[in-house]
Amino acid sequence: MPETLSGKHKSPQNSNSVSVQQDLFEDPQFATSVRLSVKNKVAGIPLSSGVNGDYPSSISPRYTDVDSRKSDGATYTPDALARFVAGQILEHTRKWSRDRAIRALDPAVGEGSLAVALLDALRAEGFTNVSFMGLDTNTRAVETASSHLEIHRNGYRVQCETGNFLSTAVSAGKIDDIFSQQDEVNRSRYDIIIANPPYVRTQILGGHSSQALAKRFSLSGRVDLYHAFLLTMADALSPGGVAGIIVSNRFMTTKAGASIREILPRLMSLRSLWDLGDTKLFDAAVLPAVIVGTGKMLSGDSENEPAKFTSLYSTSGPAEARAPDPISALGLEGVVEVDDGRRFHVQQGFLETGGRVGDVWRLSTSDIRNWLAVVKKHTRFTFGELGKIRVGVKTTADRVFIRDDWSCDDGEPELLRPLITHHIARRYRSESPVKSILYPHKAENG
């Protein structure tokens, strides 16, 4: 029986609760609640959490909370990933004085797993003067985070408050009240930011809300709530400060992420990026990435040094190395088999951002550059020059939505769409689809 059901020690969860409320943009129609209530790691089974982390004996049926979870952007941060992000942040503090006054922030603290990992890492490195602030709109999550952080405060100044990071950041730094002893120059700036902001896409936010979000943060395309968080956190980073942020990897390649790819490097210096691909670290169908960056204008900052880029995707190739889990495999290269039998192709290289606005972000190595040079030499036209490229759905995320036998006693379910895959694709037109996908989304006003 999982430990969380047997009454044994429970690790703090990182629900990263964030509610976009009416006061965010002072818009009465912007009332979409984006509360994120994270379930603990119990074989991916959604549970209902109490304030103190205790769970009822009953387990909710699989689909009873689908609507709330999608609107909440529900994810959780596994302990191993939280420790990894905290550790990567600390890699950029090696030259800091151990008695330096450090102001740290988690703007979507949830129940505190990332915060706990960060405070423990800071203590292990010998830092003695740390002030940590955790914000969240979910009052119950803040109470739970405060309880967890009290155990791990390590003598640091730690405070969690109910608050809306995006709203306070936009409205001139009310977030800084607890750091009132700091001088005006450093107000609204943080030396360390760690976060896993919620993933709430256009279809869930609604047309009006997503357009308001895009206007406020100069975004374009199909906006996700974490886009606004990412830019606001980067802007709140002090010169030479360090941010470690877990995001969806979609922004690196989609049209909707073009604004992020253009603006983010202006706000902070990208140091490392990890594309965790189809590792399925999260219960939700999220393909995560981790970004580590430092604040601009640091003396001696090497702006021309490209960010390190590591990608990890599943493969069936023969294993060349072994690791306990996908997080441990990130330091290796080649095909790595983890303890549960899965194999991942780990690539190490540098971030290639392209030379034009809208270019995708990708991993670059000497082998990849040489291969692309050969392709370019023999290319007459690109696909984009010949026609419009449309982005497909991630059909591998959850096959429960894809079937060829949808018929039942009451007829076929609503919202079915014919599915074209590579199995039936042909040069000019596909064969007749055999499978259908249950697809509940539609684009409306953006």
Side-chain angles (χ1 to χ4, degrees):
M1 179 175 290
E3 290 187 352
T4 45
L5 296 182
S6 63
K8 297 182 180 179
H9 173 70
K10 307 176 185 66
S11 299
Q13 302 162 338
N14 192 70
S15 64
N16 298 306
S17 304
V18 178
S19 293
V20 178
Q21 299 173 357
Q22 291 183 358
D23 65 342
L24 178 55
F25 302 123
E26 298 180 356
D27 187 336
Q29 298 187 55
F30 210 125
T32 304
S33 174
V34 198
R35 296 188 312 275
L36 202 160
S37 304
V38 169
K39 281 67 180 175
N40 208 348
K41 298 185 297 181
V42 188
I45 302 173
L47 302 175
S48 178
S49 173
V51 174
N52 297 317
D54 298 323
Y55 299 96
S57 58
S58 61
I59 298 177
S60 60
R62 180 175 182 184
Y63 298 111
T64 56
D65 62 349
V66 169
D67 290 341
S68 64
R69 292 179 68 194
K70 288 186 72 68
S71 64
D72 291 347
T75 61
Y76 66 86
T77 304
D79 293 341
L81 182 56
R83 290 192 295 268
F84 174 79
V85 176
Q88 293 303 321
I89 288 175
L90 268 291
E91 287 295 321
H92 295 273
T93 66
R94 300 299 184 194
K95 296 181 180 180
W96 293 7
S97 170
R98 289 314 184 248
D99 60 356
R100 167 177 173 166
I102 296 175
R103 302 173 71 236
L105 169 72
D106 186 337
V109 70
E111 296 183 349
S113 67
L114 281 171
V116 166
L118 176 62
L119 295 183
D120 285 349
L122 287 168
R123 171 55 65 191
E125 286 294 320
F127 289 102
T128 59
N129 188 5
V130 177
S131 297
F132 175 85
M133 179 62 176
L135 278 179
D136 205 288
T137 57
N138 187 320
T139 302
R140 293 201 306 171
V142 169
E143 292 173 354
T144 304
S146 297
S147 177
H148 289 142
L149 290 170
E150 182 64 31
I151 301 172
H152 295 265
R153 66 186 302 127
N154 300 322
Y156 298 148
R157 186 177 179 214
V158 176
Q159 187 167 347
C160 290
E161 292 185 353
T162 302
N164 189 314
F165 172 67
L166 292 182
S167 180
T168 52
V170 168
S171 60
K174 294 178 183 177
I175 192 174
D176 286 292
D177 290 346
I178 69 162
F179 297 113
S180 57
Q181 76 276 17
Q182 301 292 331
D183 58 64
E184 288 294 321
V185 175
N186 289 323
R187 287 177 68 83
S188 298
R189 300 289 181 178
Y190 296 88
D191 303 297
I192 293 177
I193 298 177
I194 189 168
N196 178 9
Y199 316 124
V200 185
R201 297 177 62 188
T202 300
Q203 297 97 321
I204 307 302
L205 285 173
H208 177 83
S209 298
S210 61
Q211 289 170 18
L213 199 66
K215 182 178 181 181
R216 170 61 71 179
F217 293 95
S218 301
L219 300 171
S220 62
R222 296 186 176 183
V223 177
D224 192 301
L225 186 63
Y226 81 85
H227 291 173
F229 264 84
L230 193 54
L231 297 183
T232 307
M233 286 185 287
D235 190 49
L237 197 60
S238 65
V242 189
I245 307 168
I246 303 171
V247 296
S248 165
N249 69 3
R250 287 177 51 81
F251 86 93
M252 295 191 293
T253 56
T254 63
K255 184 177 180 180
S259 299
I260 301 297
R261 297 194 297 273
E262 179 184 3
I263 300 172
L264 188 61
R266 300 181 195 169
L267 299 178
M268 70 178 182
S269 300
L270 300 174
R271 298 305 183 186
S272 299
L273 192 151
W274 294 265
D275 182 355
L276 302 178
D278 53 355
T279 51
K280 299 182 179 179
L281 294 175
F282 291 89
D283 183 31
V286 175
L287 276 67
V290 175
I291 298 174
V292 170
T294 54
K296 291 281 190 177
M297 298 184 296
L298 178 63
S299 178
D301 193 10
S302 179
E303 294 289 342
N304 295 323
E305 182 178 342
K308 297 178 181 178
F309 194 154
T310 301
S311 72
L312 184 149
Y313 279 83
S314 61
T315 182
S316 58
E320 302 168 326
R322 292 191 61 86
D325 51 65
I327 299 299
S328 302
L330 291 173
L332 304 175
E333 192 166 9
V335 178
V336 181
E337 183 173 338
V338 297
D339 286 351
D340 63 10
R342 291 181 295 167
R343 296 176 184 176
F344 297 97
H345 184 204
V346 184
Q347 291 182 286
Q348 307 284 355
F350 295 94
L351 175 62
E352 174 61 56
T353 60
R356 299 171 301 177
V357 174
D359 281 355
V360 301
W361 286 7
R362 58 179 178 81
L363 181 143
S364 178
T365 65
S366 57
D367 289 342
I368 291 175
R369 287 194 296 270
N370 292 337
W371 179 81
L372 288 175
V374 173
V375 172
K376 184 176 181 180
K377 181 179 178 180
H378 295 86
T379 297
R380 184 170 182 180
F381 298 106
T382 65
F383 287 112
E385 291 170 337
L386 295 176
K388 184 175 182 179
I389 307 299
R390 297 183 179 274
V391 179
V393 296
K394 284 187 171 65
T395 54
T396 59
D398 194 340
R399 294 189 179 278
V400 70
F401 299 109
I402 301 170
R403 295 173 57 179
D404 57 7
D405 58 344
W406 283 105
S407 297
C408 55
D409 294 340
D410 298 328
E412 291 187 345
E414 299 176 358
L415 304 178
L416 287 183
R417 300 289 184 270
L419 183 67
I420 298 175
T421 69
H422 66 284
H423 296 293
I424 61 172
R426 297 297 179 262
R427 186 171 185 178
Y428 297 110
R429 60 182 301 176
S430 71
E431 296 179 358
S432 297
V434 176
K435 295 183 178 180
S436 298
I437 182 171
L438 185 64
Y439 194 70
H441 302 300
K442 69 175 182 178
E444 184 173 312
N445 297 324

